[in-house]
Amino acid sequence: MQISHLKQFAGLVRRPEGSILPVLKTESVDGFVKLHIQGSVVDFWATPEELYFRGYRLLCAKPAIWDIWSRVICAPDQAKPGSFAVH
């Protein structure tokens, strides 16, 4: 994947076995904020919680994705908007 192509993605996640998948965007689906992941065979939607507990790890992302993901990996009182954002 070339660096110029990375700008079109909202982020990248690593699967438990090591493959890397792009995060295309976020959207509210059924009342939950879900990430649209471009899978190797089929695209899918999942919450950051679902991904994290399945062993996915966020490698890099736009600030909005980091903020959503931080709610999963931080204690509730530590997850603040912008806490993982790079300005």
Side-chain angles (χ1 to χ4, degrees), residues 22-43:
V23 178
L24 301 178
K25 62 183 178 176
T26 63
E27 197 167 301
S28 181
V29 178
D30 299 328
F32 295 97
V33 175
K34 293 193 176 188
L35 304 178
H36 182 190
I37 308 293
Q38 185 177 22
S40 53
V41 177
V42 64
D43 290 3

Side-chain angles (χ1 to χ4, degrees), residues 5-87:
H5 295 321
L6 292 178
K7 292 180 183 178
Q8 67 186 343
F9 302 128
L12 296 172
V13 292
R14 185 182 68 233
R15 294 178 66 184
E17 91 287 339
S19 63
I20 297 172
L21 302 174
V23 178
L24 301 178
K25 62 183 178 176
T26 63
E27 197 167 301
S28 181
V29 178
D30 299 328
F32 295 97
V33 175
K34 293 193 176 188
L35 304 178
H36 182 190
I37 308 293
Q38 185 177 22
S40 53
V41 177
V42 64
D43 290 3
F44 61 96
W45 293 90
T47 65
E49 293 86 0
E50 292 167 336
L51 294 169
Y52 186 81
F53 290 116
R54 290 181 185 159
Y56 287 73
R57 296 299 178 258
L58 191 62
L59 298 178
C60 64
K62 292 182 179 178
I65 303 298
W66 279 116
D67 287 342
I68 295 166
W69 198 270
S70 71
R71 296 176 197 154
V72 177
I73 61 173
C74 293
D77 60 335
Q78 294 177 334
K80 298 179 182 103
S83 61
F84 284 91
V86 178
H87 301 283

